[in-house]
Amino acid sequence: MAILQLEDKTVLTNLKDIAQELASLNIQLNRWEIGDNPQLRRLLAQDSLNENEKEQILKALDGYFEQLQQTAGYQSRDLIVFHPGVANLDALLGKFDQIHIHADDEVRFIIDGEAIFGFVRPDGSQVELTVQPEEYINVPAGTEHWFYLTPARRVKAVRYFIGTEGWVPQYTDKKIRTRQAVI
Ligand SMILES: [Fe+2]
C-alpha cells in the first residue's frame, strides 16, 4: 500500500486521502494486480534477473501494456531491477534523486520492492510517496519530482514509454526540503 508523507511529517496510508493530496498534480495511482502465477512469483523473488528472465516477467504482465498501447499509444516497456548488488547503483540512481521534470509522462508499475517519488505541488509544497508492489503510477509530463529508494534499496518496476526522446531529466534546481530515507 502506498504511503504519503507531507512536509509536516503527516503520514497518510488511505488511498482516498492520498489521491486527494495528489489531485492538484493529476497523478494517477492505481492498484494493478500481479496474480499468483508461481513462476512469475519465483522470478520476482530473485535479486537479479537475466534478460531472458526479465522478458518472461514482462510477457506475463503484458495485458497491462496492451491496455496502454490501445488507450494511450504506448510503444515500449522495459523492466528496471535495482538491488544492493548492482555495481553502479548509486550512479544509476544519482540522475533522478534531484528535482527534475520530463517531457513525457513517467509511468511505472511496481512489481517488487519499493521506491519513493517526491513531488513539488503547484502551491510549492513537497510530498513524498512510497510506492509498493501492485501499484501503477503515472506522473504527468512537466511534474517536478525526484526518485530514490528506501533503505532496502530494492525495487523492480516496469517502465512504459510512448517515446524515449523525452526521457531525459531536466533539473529545475529546486532544493528538496523533505526526505524520508538516506540513499
Ligand atoms: Fe523522473
Side-chain angles (χ1 to χ4, degrees):
M1 286 286 289
I3 302 161
L4 187 75
Q5 184 167 301
L6 308 182
E7 232 169 303
D8 67 3
K9 305 293 180 202
T10 303
V11 172
L12 304 174
T13 55
N14 179 298
L15 267 189
K16 245 183 158 174
D17 296 337
I18 292 173
Q20 195 174 352
E21 291 291 339
L22 298 180
S24 62
L25 292 165
N26 293 316
I27 287 168
Q28 288 177 47
L29 180 65
N30 300 332
R31 183 175 164 79
W32 277 10
E33 289 183 4
I34 290 171
D36 52 9
N37 177 324
Q39 194 187 357
L40 176 59
R41 289 287 177 183
R42 186 176 49 75
L43 289 171
L44 290 176
Q46 290 180 204
D47 275 346
S48 58
L49 297 163
N50 63 35
E51 289 308 309
N52 180 41
E53 289 167 334
K54 284 186 184 178
E55 196 55 33
Q56 282 182 54
I57 291 174
L58 287 167
K59 284 216 167 78
L61 300 169
D62 264 351
Y64 293 117
F65 178 45
E66 283 159 20
Q67 280 177 26
L68 290 173
Q69 284 179 299
Q70 286 160 17
T71 61
Y74 276 74
Q75 292 184 1
S76 63
R77 85 286 190 256
D78 67 11
L79 177 63
I80 53 164
V81 178
F82 291 152
H83 61 87
V86 173
N88 53 348
L89 186 60
D90 288 328
L92 290 170
L93 295 169
K95 277 167 125 178
F96 301 108
D97 70 355
Q98 294 303 316
I99 297 178
H100 64 275
I101 58 172
H102 302 286
D104 285 343
D105 293 2
E106 182 159 331
V107 183
R108 302 285 181 267
F109 176 24
I110 310 300
I111 56 175
D112 178 63
E114 61 183 15
I116 298 172
F117 279 95
F119 302 108
V120 182
R121 295 192 289 194
D123 66 1
S125 62
Q126 298 183 1
V127 296
E128 290 198 326
L129 178 72
T130 305
V131 283
Q132 295 183 323
E134 303 199 306
E135 290 172 347
Y136 160 89
I137 185 167
N138 181 323
V139 180
T143 305
E144 286 187 296
H145 68 280
W146 64 98
F147 175 90
Y148 63 109
L149 300 184
T150 59
R153 291 165 66 84
R154 178 184 169 109
V155 72
K156 294 185 185 71
V158 184
R159 309 190 296 178
Y160 300 97
F161 301 101
I162 290 180
T164 50
E165 62 281 352
W167 202 251
V168 180
Q170 299 165 46
Y171 300 101
T172 61
D173 293 329
K174 280 190 188 156
K175 290 271 171 287
I176 298 171
R177 290 190 299 268
T178 174
R179 180 153 283 190
Q180 288 180 29
V182 175
I183 293 173

